[in-house]
Amino acid sequence: MKKINGLFFIIVLAALTACNSNDDGVQAGIEIPEITITDDIDCCSAEEALQVYRFLQTVKNVPELQTEVDGKYNVYAYTRTGTFHTGYNEIFFVATKKVSGNYIKKFDVTGITPLMHMVKMDMYHSTPVGGAASSFNDSYLAVRRTWVSFLMNTSEAGSWTLSYDALVLGSKGGVTKQDIVVDALPDGQAWLKSFKVGDDTYFLSLVNPDDWQTGTNEIQAYVSKKSAKATEPYQLANETFTIEIDPRMPDMGNHTSPNNTPLLKQQDGSYKGSVNLTMTGLWRIHLTVKDAEGNVVAGGGDLSSLYWDVTI
């Protein structure tokens, strides 16, 4: 008998798990396909599979980043829109068994390497990344998440590739220098800015401000440091900063809003604070970056020249 897969697998296992425990997991009159504990020990339970299936309805596949590993597994990549844009992009990965379609919990995605070829200068550079993909929520153990913050959009001036390594149940694979397209953000959105401290360049990546609404919002960002070798992905900065914010509306006389809190470094390496946006429209979030001793190292002053633009 063939093994069940896809949504049918989820529905059948969900029905079985709902059975009374006194039935020993088997309901009278139901013939169980050839799935054994040993066969699927590395796959999800019915509940976990259903959670993954539901999560994947909220994102879209990036087909150019799909790959097959050792002829036995598939690895899929997803973003919110199935595309990429300048600034912060979350990337989600899922691995499945080819023979059954079952989701796999034990896999790793590492070596995320975006690379841009600058045509006129015939040179290459990378961009800030979130590092190895990891489970972002205990409810989604079979989904790995990381991020890339693209410095520039694809144009005649330059194009992007993306590479990654995959390890699925001991089998190695991945994607090498796959062409991708990075779109420009719409006018009124600018989510990635840089600043210098001495000879070092840092990048401020604002996380998903398109989720914001009027009122108080959590504001999250990452601070990355440019690699000594420009073609190596820019990792999170080890230094600790404080990022003070001053949101203004340039189209409304630069009026501000009260009750904002600075972004402080968290255990996971991100920076979090809160921003209060009192109305819809373009907000320019002026930034003051301070080092661990409280010295201003970037931005600052009235209407800082270091800012993010967010339109809600």
Side-chain angles (χ1 to χ4, degrees), residues 6-27:
L7 181 57
F8 184 57
F9 163 74
I10 296 169
I11 295 172
V12 170
L13 284 189
L16 293 177
T17 2
C19 295
N20 188 292
S21 58
N22 294 331
D23 293 333
D24 294 325
V26 180
Q27 230 176 359

Side-chain angles (χ1 to χ4, degrees), residues 135-155:
S135 298
F136 64 100
N137 186 308
D138 288 343
S139 297
Y140 303 110
L141 297 177
V143 180
R144 301 288 189 270
R145 169 197 166 274
T146 188
W147 57 268
V148 175
S149 192
F150 291 102
L151 295 176
M152 303 168 62
N153 59 286
T154 300
S155 68

Side-chain angles (χ1 to χ4, degrees), residues 53-211:
Y53 175 79
R54 287 173 174 167
F55 173 78
L56 294 181
Q57 309 314 300
T58 69
V59 292
K60 293 185 178 180
N61 180 243
V62 184
E64 54 266 41
L65 295 183
Q66 177 180 335
T67 190
E68 183 180 290
V69 176
D70 200 20
K72 297 184 292 186
Y73 313 110
N74 286 322
V75 177
Y76 301 92
Y78 301 83
T79 65
R80 286 187 167 198
T81 61
T83 60
F84 295 103
H85 55 71
T86 52
Y88 178 88
N89 297 254
E90 286 178 311
I91 309 177
F92 303 93
F93 293 92
V94 168
T96 65
K97 288 187 174 181
K98 286 179 64 66
V99 69
S100 64
N102 297 355
Y103 301 122
I104 297 170
K105 287 193 288 187
K106 295 184 179 180
F107 76 101
D108 296 298
V109 175
T110 58
I112 306 288
T113 305
L115 202 59
M116 186 176 209
H117 179 216
M118 303 295 293
V119 177
K120 288 186 178 180
M121 295 175 282
D122 192 24
M123 61 171 288
Y124 293 83
H125 67 78
S126 191
T127 201
V129 300
S134 59
S135 298
F136 64 100
N137 186 308
D138 288 343
S139 297
Y140 303 110
L141 297 177
V143 180
R144 301 288 189 270
R145 169 197 166 274
T146 188
W147 57 268
V148 175
S149 192
F150 291 102
L151 295 176
M152 303 168 62
N153 59 286
T154 300
S155 68
E156 292 182 357
S159 58
W160 287 95
T161 62
L162 194 144
S163 306
Y164 68 84
D165 299 317
L167 180 65
V168 185
L169 299 180
S171 296
K172 296 181 180 180
V175 165
T176 302
K177 292 187 178 179
Q178 175 61 49
D179 291 330
I180 58 171
V181 174
V182 177
D183 297 322
L185 283 172
D187 290 341
Q189 306 281 12
W191 304 346
L192 176 64
K193 290 299 177 77
S194 65
F195 65 92
K196 295 199 72 168
V197 180
D199 294 330
D200 295 320
T201 302
Y202 298 85
F203 297 90
L204 295 163
S205 298
L206 182 60
V207 174
N208 295 338
D210 47 348
D211 290 339

Side-chain angles (χ1 to χ4, degrees), residues 296-310:
V296 175
V297 295
D302 188 32
L303 299 181
S304 166
S305 59
L306 180 64
Y307 57 80
W308 293 306
D309 277 348
V310 176

